[in-house]
Amino acid sequence: MTNLNFNDELLAELNELDRINLRRTLRVVDSSQSTEIRLQKKKYLNFSSNDYLGLASHPALAEAAQAALKHYGTGAGAARLICGNMAIHSALDNAIAQFKDTEAALVFSTGFATALGTIPALVGRGDTVILDKLAHACLIDAARISGARLRAFPHNNIAYLKKVLKQEKSSKRVLIVTESIFSMDGDAGKLEEIVEVKEKLGGWLMVDEAHGTGVFGRNRRGLVEQLGLSSKVEVQMGTLSKAFGSSGGYIAGSRTLIDLLINKARSFIFSTAPSPAVAAASLASIQLVSGAEGERRQKALWDNVSYFAQNLPAPWHQDEEPQSQIFPLLIGDEAEALAKSKQLERAGFLVPAIRCPTVPLHQARLRVTLSASHTRKQIDELIRHLK
Ligand SMILES: *Cc1c(COP(=O)(O)O)cnc(C)c1O
């Protein structure tokens, strides 16, 4: 072991990130989340949020959180298995199960923690987990710490998935993990094909609907609902921090699955229950999303998606129908993507440059996300600037 200077050593890493245009810094928002947000006193049109239904600053959520604060205080005090399981947490579990039309559901503190707890509870040594190559970091990390053999298939390459499934025949359990809507590409996982393959060759399926819930399906349960696959997907994962405008993650599925997670998911067992205020906001949001308000917002979002897609300038304009509310405007070079993002920022738009390691090296892009709350005028302004 060489006697390295701690700060010099770390600084060298940061300088290298700087050099290759991959260094990140924090920005400070001093307004609520909305299509218009304020950063250091300057107003921006926000096209970078995952608040797809515009609920993050909805008064019904804030009011529910305030009522819960009054009743329960701020902290849950302990993990849910100790004394932190307040009535609001169980009510939220039940509301999610009802919303998703599954036997049961379980809330975790975040979507990330949901994945970290769930995958290792389902597979371990002697088993195999097969991931789409573009799966979210939390799914990859969860698969890694599970101890199961980690295999991957190129994004949506079903023939390759089949090959892997055949090779893994000797594994005891096989878990296939994918997303419904991919966060940085905005395209859909080939869920119907994956279900067909796993029904034939075996394996269980876990689908992360972080970007699908609230946006897809007649009841806004997600793409799995829209495709009529609810009974074929063993593990449905989602987050409360995107379309629901709150915070937290969940698994929805069979009662047995949820009972097992309560007993085995380490990020559930060894972590304090979510703040009751946050759970109350999530519960209020689920009530809104399942009703007429959710339907209205879902429609408004899709109207915005179609309008933006139709009016996107070259080279990004596509003739096909847009797949989701997420538009990756591919640029490639990291420095160029950063410069474009900065240029938009100077003009008053927040459109982030997404770079490695979030996406592969030299596939940097501007990521535009739309919300039900964007007005036509706001979208027109962005289109004008993109031109
Ligand atoms: C955001 C995201 C998560 C993590 O959810 P959080 O609630 O933000 O922790 C998990 N999976 C995908 C695909 C995501 O985009």
Side-chain angles (χ1 to χ4, degrees):
M1 192 187 351
T2 42
N3 193 7
L4 297 171
N5 178 286
F6 182 75
N7 280 314
D8 288 350
E9 181 66 14
L10 273 47
L11 197 57
E13 254 186 75
L14 287 169
N15 289 339
E16 174 59 15
L17 286 174
D18 244 341
R19 193 185 67 76
I20 56 178
N21 296 303
L22 293 179
R23 179 154 179 181
R24 289 144 151 91
T25 52
L26 284 171
R27 290 197 282 213
V28 179
V29 177
D30 49 23
S31 68
S32 67
Q33 280 296 321
S34 167
T35 54
E36 232 183 74
I37 64 172
R38 218 174 37 234
L39 274 80
Q40 271 120 22
K41 306 230 154 56
K42 189 174 168 201
K43 271 191 191 161
Y44 294 88
L45 286 184
N46 188 8
F47 287 95
S48 63
S49 171
N50 303 317
D51 180 24
Y52 301 127
L53 297 178
L55 292 174
S57 52
H58 193 289
L61 274 66
E63 278 159 26
Q66 275 159 0
L69 279 173
K70 270 217 173 107
H71 186 77
Y72 295 103
T74 47
R80 289 181 64 183
L81 282 168
I82 307 299
C83 65
N85 188 38
M86 293 162 163
I88 193 80
H89 297 117
S90 287
L92 180 57
D93 287 346
N94 294 337
I96 293 169
Q98 200 178 6
F99 171 71
K100 296 287 285 185
D101 194 28
T102 53
E103 278 176 25
L106 189 68
V107 171
F108 292 69
S109 300
T110 66
F112 206 110
T114 306
L116 283 191
T118 300
I119 295 177
L122 297 176
V123 288
R125 210 175 303 157
D127 304 326
T128 301
V129 52
I130 311 176
L131 289 165
D132 186 292
K133 274 235 165 81
L134 293 188
H136 191 265
C138 68
L139 302 169
I140 298 170
D141 290 2
R144 282 199 184 127
I145 61 172
S146 74
R149 193 189 347 212
L150 181 54
R151 302 289 311 266
F153 57 99
H155 180 49
N156 267 338
N157 186 332
I158 305 302
Y160 200 99
L161 168 65
K162 253 190 221 168
K163 197 172 86 186
V164 175
L165 267 174
K166 284 179 185 155
Q167 288 166 353
E168 298 300 321
K169 271 222 143 58
S170 62
S171 271
K172 186 152 173 279
R173 299 176 175 180
V174 175
L175 180 67
I176 305 162
V177 180
T178 190
E179 293 177 30
S180 62
I181 299 299
F182 282 80
S183 53
M184 295 303 142
D185 292 71
D187 63 338
K190 292 187 175 164
L191 302 183
E192 284 159 310
E193 285 95 325
I194 295 175
V195 163
E196 199 184 310
V197 166
K198 69 123 187 163
E199 301 268 284
K200 208 160 103 206
L201 298 174
W204 302 332
L205 178 58
M206 171 168 171
V207 177
D208 180 353
E209 288 252 43
H211 301 276
T213 326
V215 178
F216 290 82
R218 232 170 71 86
N219 301 290
R220 292 163 293 288
R221 288 173 196 146
L223 188 63
V224 169
E225 178 199 16
Q226 184 157 310
L227 299 173
L229 298 173
S230 303
S231 63
K232 307 279 173 69
V233 178
E234 284 81 4
V235 188
Q236 296 192 56
M237 172 180 156
T239 172
L240 298 162
S241 31
K242 287 168 184 164
F244 288 110
S246 181
S247 185
Y250 64 83
I251 295 292
S254 68
R255 183 73 251 170
T256 313
L257 165 66
I258 299 307
D259 286 344
L260 186 88
L261 292 179
I262 291 173
N263 283 276
K264 280 186 77 185
R266 291 165 66 84
S267 63
F268 175 84
I269 298 170
F270 298 103
S271 185
T272 300
S275 159
V278 166
S282 301
L283 184 57
S285 181
I286 286 168
Q287 280 153 0
L288 280 182
V289 172
S290 10
E293 179 75 21
E295 196 174 337
R296 194 183 63 70
R297 284 173 188 254
Q298 182 187 33
K299 186 179 174 299
L301 172 59
W302 279 102
D303 285 348
N304 282 344
V305 168
S306 307
Y307 182 77
F308 184 64
Q310 280 161 20
N311 292 289
L312 251 182
W316 298 301
H317 182 80
Q318 296 168 341
D319 289 323
E320 307 111 67
E321 283 289 300
Q323 290 199 52
S324 79
Q325 72 283 16
I326 302 167
F327 291 83
L329 309 183
L330 270 180
I331 290 180
D333 181 63
E334 282 74 24
E336 201 183 324
L338 266 183
K340 287 236 157 68
S341 173
K342 284 254 158 64
Q343 213 179 323
L344 280 163
E345 195 177 314
R346 277 194 294 274
F349 300 92
L350 278 193
V351 178
I354 306 289
R355 294 160 289 159
C356 183
T358 312
V359 295
L361 196 62
H362 306 318
Q363 289 186 30
R365 64 201 61 184
L366 297 173
R367 178 179 182 263
V368 173
T369 50
L370 295 180
S371 157
S373 300
H374 282 119
T375 62
R376 270 299 139 85
K377 188 164 160 281
Q378 291 174 329
I379 296 173
D380 280 337
E381 278 180 46
L382 176 63
I383 291 165
R384 199 153 44 83
H385 276 271
L386 287 173
K387 280 177 181 156

